[in-house]
Structure formats: structure tokens, C-alpha cells
Amino acid sequence: MSGMILLGPPGAGKGTIAAYIQRERDLPVVSTGHLLRQAIAAGTPLGLAAKTLMDQGQLVSDEVVVGLVRDFLTQPVCRHGYLFDGFPRTVVQAEAILSERIAIRLVCCLTVSEEVIVARMSGRRVHPASGRVYHIDNAPPKREGLDDETGEPLATRADDQPEVVLDRLRVYHQQTKPLIDFYRTRAALEPDLAFVEVDASQPVAQVQSEVLRMVASEM
Ligand code: AP5
């Protein structure tokens, strides 16, 4: 069993790359952001509590998120591997992965400047039910405003408002960026763990092929 983590700031392209690796390698994607948005759409108590935090660009509690991941991994589809998108996001979550013996072979960190991030967020459109991601200029849907597969309307994420994006970036720097050193240090000590950085400001196709090459060589 081998797992992979896509790490990086909001808007780096984690969801876009995760969907591509899922298609190419048949790896199930565990996106904690998508799982939380599904809980919000279903109106569960967990979703309602998470919504307030997410709308402010804050992180949901480690306990809740680790519980969601633990449940997801019990599915048979995860038996041979999985790709984490947006998890872990704190050192506490990374330590939970270790203590629960969730195997990780590759940590791929997508790097990109804040200017690029802000531009990507303002043009992002999503299909709420599936989590499919578009961009009005870089990755437009075939028909404006509509999902390619279902024809349903696309939406703008509530947390893509410019002021919330700035809060999410602040949270990233305080709570998630320390994971870069966490995994770089561990990878230097553990022969079965690789840490790589990929320049995510490149065109999507190039980022996709670089990440796929890393997956092929490390997993
Ligand atoms: P989450 O949904 O995980 O959001 P995020 O990490 O902030 O990342 P995004 O989904 O915004 O961006 P992305 O990197 O996936 O980029 P994308 O591919 O969409 O989390 C949302 C919230 O949930 C959090 O703020 C938190 O509250 C909560 N949460 C989630 N996980 C949690 C956890 N583990 N612990 C606690 N709380 C948690 O791309 C962005 C745009 O750019 C798209 O329009 C895309 O088409 C375009 N694009 C992508 N790549 C390129 C490229 N190379 N060139 C040009 N355009 C590109």
C-alpha cells in the first residue's frame, strides 16, 4: 500500500493535479476540503460547524479532519493506495498519520507565488457535487458556466472572495508551511519516503507531467 501527499498553498493546483493523477494512476483522492463541502451541502452538524470556519478561511479542527480521513480510508478502494489533497495541514495532522501508521511514500509540494494564487482564485469555478475545478481563462468549461460532464451550473466558492483568500494564505503560512520542513527532514532520514518540490506556476500540462513522473519513480 502506498500513499501520496499533495502539499501546497491554497490555489496552487492541488485539486487539479490530484484529479489528473487519479485518472492516470487510478488512485483514490482524499480531499478533506471536498469532504467538508459535502458535509456542508448535506447539512450535517459537522458540516454546519465546519462552514463557519471555512467561510472565514480558518482550519477545521484536527480531530474532525483526522476522523474524516480515517473513515475514508476504510473503503476497499483505498486498499492499494491513496492520494491526500489538502491533508495534512498541520503538524498535529501529520503526526496523526504517523501514529495511525498510514503509509506515505511521496510528498509532493507545489510551489507558486501569491500573485499567481490570487489570480487563480478569482477565476476559479467549481462543480459543487463532484468538486470538478475550472478556471475562466486557464481551464474553461466547454460551455460557459456549465459543468462538462453533467451540464449543471458551476459556482464560485464562498472562500474564494479576495479577503478570505488573504486569510487562507495567512493560515497557510502559520499552520501548513511548517510541514515542508517536517517532511523534508523525515525524507532525509527515511529511505521509503521521498519529498519533492514542483514549480506549480508552469502551465497545467507541465505540472501534471512532472508530478506524474515523480509518482512513477517513487510509488
Ligand atoms: P481546500 O478545498 O483543501 O482548499 P485549499 O487547500 O485552500 O486549496 P484549493 O482547493 O483552494 O486550491 P487547490 O490547490 O486545490 O487549487 P485548484 O486545483 O483548485 O480547503 C478548503 C477549506 O477547508 C480550508 O480553508 C479549511 O477551512 C478546510 N480544510 C480542508 N482541509 C483541511 C484540513 N486538512 N484541516 C483543517 N481544515 C481543512 O486550482 C485553483 C485554480 O487555478 C483553478 O481554477 C484551476 O483551474 C487553476 N489552476 C490550477 N493549476 C493551474 C496551473 N498550473 N496554471 C493555471 N491555472 C491553474
Side-chain angles (χ1 to χ4, degrees), residues 8-17 31-34 36-37 50 53-55 57-62 65 85-90 93 110 116 120-121 123-126 133-136 138-139 157 159-160 168 200-205 207:
K14 302 181 296 298
T16 300
I17 298 302
S31 161
T32 42
H34 183 58
L36 290 165
R37 283 186 287 277
L53 291 162
M54 289 169 75
D55 284 353
Q58 301 299 313
L59 296 186
V60 175
S61 83
D62 293 322
V65 172
D85 161 14
F87 176 86
R89 238 174 166 98
T90 63
Q93 293 175 19
L110 301 181
V116 172
R120 285 186 185 174
M121 303 298 220
R124 173 162 56 185
R125 301 291 180 271
V126 293
V133 176
Y134 301 85
H135 188 280
I136 51 172
N138 308 330
R157 266 171 51 175
D159 61 351
D160 277 351
R168 289 164 64 198
S201 58
Q202 305 175 90
V204 176
V207 183

